[in-house]
Amino acid sequence: MTITATQQTELPVDAALRARAGKVIPSGMYGHMNVTLMPAGFPQFYAEGKGNRLWDVDGNEYLDFMCSFGPMISGYANPVVDAAALAQQKRGDALGGPTARMVELAELMVDTVAHADWAMFAKNGTDATSLAVTIARAATGRKKLLKGGTAYHGANAWFNPNPLGSTPEDRANIIDFEFNDLASLEAAAAEAGGDAAAIILSPFRHDAPGSTDQYIVDPAFARGVRALADRIGAVLIMDEVRTGFRLHTGGAWEPLGIEPDLTAFSKAMANGYAISSVVGIDSLRQSAADIFATGSFWYAGAAMAAAIANIGLLTATDTPAQMNRVGQLLRDGLQSQAAAHGFTVFQSGPPAMPFLRFEDDDSLATAAAFTAAAVRRGVLLHPAHNWFLSTAHTEADVAWALERTDDAFAETRTLFG
C-alpha cells in the first residue's frame, strides 16, 4: 500500500512486532528510536529504504525528512556507497587487522577536513566524543570539561541527558556555559580554575531535548571560544556528529576561519554504515597515540569503504548548498501554510537541519498533532527533534510533501481551533 492523499490509520504488522519485542527487548524499544514516546501513528519498524523514501513493515510509504536521525545523506540504498561496501564485504570485513581502506579513509579525512592532520576511527558518535575528551585530558593532564548547557554529546556517563545509572562523580568535572554567551564561558573557565582540559560544543546550538529553538553560532562568540581555549590552554573539541558533511564538507566553522583542535564525526560519514571518526591537529597526535582506545569492530573495512565512497560523492559538488536550497523551499512552504491556517510557527537552524515549533506549545501537543497528521499522509517529520535534508531530496519532493502538510495543518487546526 502506498500513501497518496489518503491516511494510514492502522499498522497491524508493526503492532505484532511491538508485542513480540515487548517480551524480549526492555520496554520493547529503547533510546531515541522508541516511538512509544511519539504520537500515535508513528511506525516503529521499517522494511525498506530507497532514495528519500521509507516503507514500514505494513507497506506504507513515507517521504523521509528524518534521514534516520542524520546518517542518511546520499539516499537510502545509494548504489555507489553500497557497491563499495559490498566489494569490501566480499573480501572480508572484520579481519585479523584493518584493511587498506583504513589508511585510505584517514588520508581522505585529512585531505577533506581543513584542520585535520590525523584521523582515528570508531563506530558511533559517543565513541568519537569520548575519544576526543580522553585525548584532551591526556594532552593537558587536566580534568574539567566546559560544555554548552544542555547540549547532547553522547550516551555516556558524562553527557547522557538522563542521569539514571550514572553517579554524581561521573559529572563532577563538567561545567556548563550558555551557547553564544562569552561572559558565561569566561565564568565557566574561571570556575575551572586552571583545570580545564577542553571546551566541547557543537557548531550551532541544537540541544536535547529539541523543544527549544536552534541557534546559529555568533561569529564573535566562535572567535571568542577559540581565543579563550588558546589563552587557558584547553583543547577545543567540535562535536560534528550531527552536523558533519551537511553544513560544510571541510568543517562547519571553516567558513568563519576558525579551526578546532579535535572534531568528532559520525552519522552522515558513510550514509548509514556504522563508523565514526576523531580528527585532530598535529600537536595532539602523540596524546592520541598514547591513550588506549579500541573496539572489536572499529577496524572493519566495509564501513570504511562506504565512507570513502560517500565522502567522494559529497565533495564532488557543493552538496551543502544543494541541501540548504531544498531545505529553504520546505521551510518557506511550511511558514506560508502555517500562517494560512492561523498558526504562528518558528523555524530555526540551518535549512539542511530545520526545526519547527508552534507558538505557546511548551507541551508539544500542537507539534505532536501536526507531525502525526503529516506521518499519516506519508511525510515523516518529528515533533521535538530537528529534521534533516539529504542530497536525495529534490524540489519535486518538497512540493509533494507540502501538498500533504497543508492538509496536516488543516487537520491540526480542527483540534486546536
Side-chain angles (χ1 to χ4, degrees):
M1 177 176 64
T2 297
I3 298 176
T4 54
T6 60
Q7 299 180 22
Q8 57 88 349
T9 55
E10 296 183 359
L11 302 171
V13 180
D14 188 86
L17 280 170
R18 290 195 202 197
R20 289 168 57 190
K23 298 176 182 178
V24 292
I25 298 171
S27 296
M29 192 55 58
Y30 46 87
H32 67 294
M33 293 293 182
N34 185 355
V35 299
T36 62
L37 306 175
M38 301 287 283
F42 277 74
Q44 179 69 82
F45 295 96
Y46 293 88
E48 184 180 357
K50 188 171 181 61
N52 56 38
R53 305 280 169 153
L54 286 174
W55 287 264
D56 66 26
V57 290
D58 286 281
N60 298 304
E61 179 182 350
Y62 305 88
L63 175 56
D64 178 22
F65 286 106
M66 289 307 298
C67 298
S68 190
F69 287 82
M72 190 278 275
I73 194 170
S74 297
Y76 291 110
N78 182 281
V80 174
V81 177
D82 287 357
L86 181 60
Q88 181 59 55
Q89 187 74 50
K90 287 181 176 179
R91 300 174 66 185
D93 188 15
L95 302 174
T99 70
R101 306 294 85 72
M102 185 174 186
V103 179
E104 294 163 5
L105 180 55
E107 290 171 338
L108 180 58
M109 293 295 287
V110 168
D111 288 344
T112 302
V113 181
H115 63 280
D117 294 315
W118 52 264
M120 297 173 71
F121 303 104
K123 277 300 176 189
N124 57 58
T126 299
D127 292 339
T129 55
S130 299
L131 266 174
V133 166
T134 303
I135 293 166
R137 284 173 163 161
T140 62
R142 302 173 180 177
K143 297 181 292 186
K144 302 294 184 184
L145 307 177
L146 310 186
K147 182 177 81 73
T150 56
Y152 176 74
H153 295 299
N156 56 26
W158 305 330
F159 298 130
N160 195 323
N162 182 345
L164 187 64
S166 64
T167 68
E169 289 79 9
D170 291 324
R171 298 164 187 255
N173 289 309
I174 294 178
I175 303 172
D176 291 340
F177 62 87
E178 288 297 318
F179 195 88
N180 272 345
D181 186 336
L182 272 177
S184 174
L185 178 58
E186 290 278 1
E191 183 179 343
D195 197 24
I199 303 169
I200 182 168
L201 75 171
S202 302
F204 70 97
R205 180 180 168 181
H206 50 71
D207 291 1
S211 57
T212 57
D213 292 336
Q214 301 181 119
Y215 294 95
I216 302 300
V217 70
D218 179 346
F221 174 76
R223 289 190 292 270
V225 171
R226 178 69 271 178
L228 176 65
D230 292 339
R231 190 177 82 236
I232 67 175
V235 175
L236 176 53
I237 300 172
M238 189 64 62
D239 178 356
E240 289 225 47
V241 169
R242 197 184 300 190
T243 60
F245 300 100
R246 267 195 173 81
L247 301 191
H248 194 280
T249 51
W253 281 9
E254 183 181 331
L256 302 177
I258 299 167
E259 296 185 349
D261 302 313
L262 297 171
T263 297
F265 293 99
S266 188
K267 286 191 183 288
M269 269 187 69
N271 198 47
Y273 289 87
I275 193 167
S276 62
S277 179
V278 173
V279 303
I281 59 175
D282 198 55
S283 62
L284 295 173
R285 184 191 301 264
Q286 191 58 52
S287 296
D290 289 343
I291 66 168
F292 183 77
T294 193
S296 297
F297 304 103
W298 285 14
Y299 309 93
M304 293 183 181
I308 292 167
N310 187 53
I311 293 170
L313 291 175
L314 296 175
T315 55
T317 58
D318 191 356
T319 50
Q322 175 192 342
M323 287 181 279
N324 275 324
R325 178 179 56 80
V326 176
Q328 190 63 50
L329 290 174
L330 177 65
R331 174 172 287 175
D332 292 345
L334 292 171
Q335 198 75 30
S336 177
Q337 289 176 350
H341 289 283
F343 290 107
T344 299
V345 298
F346 303 93
Q347 300 191 72
S348 58
M353 294 174 58
F355 179 71
L356 180 147
R357 69 174 175 88
F358 288 79
E359 184 179 42
D360 298 327
D361 189 34
D362 291 344
S363 69
L364 298 181
T366 310
F370 169 70
T371 53
V375 166
R376 288 195 298 273
R377 290 166 171 82
V379 182
L380 193 61
L381 305 173
H382 197 287
H385 192 288
N386 72 270
W387 312 336
F388 294 90
L389 272 291
S390 76
T391 63
H393 289 95
T394 66
E395 294 180 12
D397 294 317
V398 169
W400 188 96
L402 288 172
E403 291 179 8
R404 287 144 184 83
T405 56
D406 193 43
D407 290 339
F409 275 118
E411 179 184 322
T412 306
R413 172 49 65 199
T414 65
L415 300 173
F416 297 91

